[in-house]
Amino acid sequence: MSDQKPIDLRSDTVTKPCAAMRKAMAEADVGDDVFGDDPTVNRLQDRVAELLGKEAAIYVPSGSMANQTAIRAQTQPGDEIIAHQDNHIYHYEAGAPAGLSGCMLRLLPGAGGRYEADAVREVIRPTNSHFAQSRLIVIENTHNRGGGTCWSLDAIENIKQVALEHKLNMHLDGARIMNACVAKGHTPSAYAKYFDTVSMCFSKGLGAPVGSAVAGSTEMISRVHRFRKMFGGGMRQAGVIAAAALYALDHNVERLAEDHQNAKRLSVALANMPHVDVDVEMVETNIVYFDVDPAYSTAQQVCDCLHEDGVWMLAVSAQRVRAVTHLDVSTTAIEFAIDALHRVLSAKPAE
Ligand code: TLP
């Protein structure tokens, strides 16, 4: 039996701050960040700008606000944003590109949440008053719905060429950029250099309770700053939570490799279980998707049975289940989750 119950694999957003992180939060120097007076927020912003090789960075409450303030700062109503059809900005941000920026999305297919430069070239609109104006390319790395997959620098570089040819901006949804860096051995700035804006989250695998950031040029970040205020994201004594993000950057980056190993271990075990299909090769970081054979059961049924055993996973569609590893799930807990999956999948299908 694992001593960690429940084993919550629904998302890496569920982590709770450890005692040392809470201590750092309790001891944080604070000020009013809307006045720019919070020394801990300022320290975090400088740190993120340096990490990503950008002039400036801004702390925001969530990954969604990071993406949406960056989009708003680089577009006008009627513009078109080119993105993958499985991107977070399209599926999980409540229609915000349309709702907050008045933009259309031009969505591209591609395995693992990735697309090719030629596909981008094909959908760029000519300058003509009939058409929406192609304005911004969005890449998500790691790619959540794609399976925690990583983009290669070469693939990004090829897309950057197209962006330069057509004077398009590029935004990186880097909610899990540190997972990509740890998995591929690249520095954050090696990825970030291709982008006008980069978002990153502290409240996913890095284990902070709240917060994300956007980095870019000084001019761009001052535009993002304005939209952060407009969208209601100006915070006051935010140093209390920024301290958790700084703690996370100091202590929780290298350990992401353990989450990746645990995800791999889970996927390899799933590959040998009945009634499910998993692509082990796609598991590069901390996200595992598997499909339940419809002749056997549904994703929700499997998750309900696992739940009874204290293992929580997410049914993301009728047949697809997601499991995400993170710092509150040990290797022992993963072994327990594997045992629970064995038990559930060996049982007769539920009526
Ligand atoms: N993703 C969440 C859910 O919204 C699906 C999760 O559990 O994975 N970009 C990416 C790639 C994300 O995966 C997420 C969160 C966000 C942005 C948004 O971050 P928050 O939840 O802080 O707004």
Side-chain angles (χ1 to χ4, degrees):
M1 278 283 277
S2 166
D3 50 2
Q4 284 179 280
K5 281 276 204 100
I7 297 164
D8 191 347
L9 295 162
R10 290 172 304 165
S11 181
D12 48 8
T13 58
V14 302
T15 56
K16 295 181 181 154
C18 65
M21 183 182 275
R22 284 173 190 262
K23 183 165 183 288
M25 296 171 75
E27 291 172 358
D29 280 340
V30 295
D32 189 328
D33 181 49
V34 171
F35 287 116
D37 283 349
D38 191 300
T40 310
V41 170
N42 291 339
R43 204 147 52 84
L44 174 64
Q45 291 176 163
D46 290 347
R47 174 92 180 265
V48 170
E50 197 192 330
L51 187 71
L52 295 170
K54 299 291 182 197
E55 285 173 359
I58 183 168
Y59 187 49
V60 296
S62 68
S64 302
M65 191 176 284
N67 286 335
Q68 296 307 326
T69 50
I71 286 172
R72 184 67 187 83
Q74 295 173 86
T75 57
Q76 294 295 327
D79 283 350
E80 195 161 70
I81 299 168
I82 298 167
H84 190 276
Q85 65 188 18
D86 281 334
N87 269 25
H88 195 277
I89 59 158
Y90 175 58
H91 280 280
Y92 300 129
E93 295 183 18
L100 299 178
S101 296
C103 287
M104 309 212 301
L105 286 171
R106 192 74 183 267
L107 299 169
L108 301 175
R114 294 167 293 224
Y115 50 81
E116 303 282 334
D118 283 346
V120 176
R121 199 173 269 114
E122 269 172 32
V123 298
I124 291 174
R125 310 266 193 180
T127 307
N128 174 314
S129 64
H130 290 82
F131 301 129
Q133 182 75 54
S134 307
R135 187 78 68 188
L136 180 68
I137 298 172
V138 177
I139 283 177
E140 189 178 309
N141 189 25
T142 68
H143 201 283
N144 181 347
R145 276 172 67 100
T149 41
C150 303
W151 279 72
S152 73
L153 294 176
D154 284 351
I156 298 173
E157 171 133 33
N158 290 341
I159 289 171
K160 179 70 179 179
Q161 284 312 317
V162 181
L164 289 172
E165 282 162 30
H166 294 272
K167 297 191 172 52
L168 305 188
N169 274 23
M170 302 247 295
H171 171 67
L172 174 63
D173 178 349
R176 296 186 180 83
I177 188 63
M178 300 314 289
N179 293 82
C181 292
V182 167
K184 292 292 163 195
H186 299 313
T187 60
S189 57
Y191 277 123
K193 74 173 185 187
Y194 300 104
F195 296 90
D196 301 279
T197 47
V198 179
S199 65
M200 68 176 287
C201 291
F202 310 111
S203 62
K204 310 237 159 18
L206 295 183
V210 212
S212 295
V214 189
S217 67
T218 307
E219 193 194 340
M220 183 68 76
I221 296 307
S222 83
R223 284 179 64 72
V224 171
H225 193 273
R226 180 175 178 73
F227 293 115
R228 181 184 71 170
K229 192 76 185 82
M230 189 186 283
F231 296 170
M235 297 182 284
R236 302 295 178 173
Q237 286 69 33
V240 173
I241 47 175
L246 282 164
Y247 180 94
L249 289 174
D250 285 336
H251 297 92
N252 292 344
V253 175
E254 272 95 51
R255 64 149 311 285
L256 292 171
E258 292 168 37
D259 300 342
H260 301 173
Q261 281 157 16
N262 284 338
K264 199 60 157 184
R265 165 82 187 109
L266 179 62
S267 68
V268 168
L270 275 161
N272 291 313
M273 292 189 203
H275 314 302
V276 289
D277 191 28
V278 63
D279 187 343
V280 175
E281 292 305 311
M282 289 296 268
V283 180
E284 295 183 80
T285 59
N286 68 329
I287 301 181
V288 180
Y289 284 96
F290 61 92
D291 293 310
V292 178
D293 180 353
Y296 173 70
S297 188
T298 63
Q300 193 57 56
Q301 282 266 325
V302 168
C303 288
D304 289 348
C305 293
L306 286 169
H307 197 273
E308 281 174 26
D309 270 0
V311 176
W312 297 1
M313 295 184 184
L314 206 61
V316 293
S317 68
Q319 300 307 134
R320 183 157 267 221
V321 178
R322 185 182 80 160
V324 186
T325 57
H326 53 77
L327 89 172
D328 288 351
V329 177
S330 65
T331 302
T332 319
I334 285 295
E335 293 305 327
F336 183 86
I338 289 169
D339 287 347
L341 274 162
H342 265 299
R343 274 194 300 279
V344 167
L345 295 171
S346 321
K348 282 209 181 75
E351 295 301 313

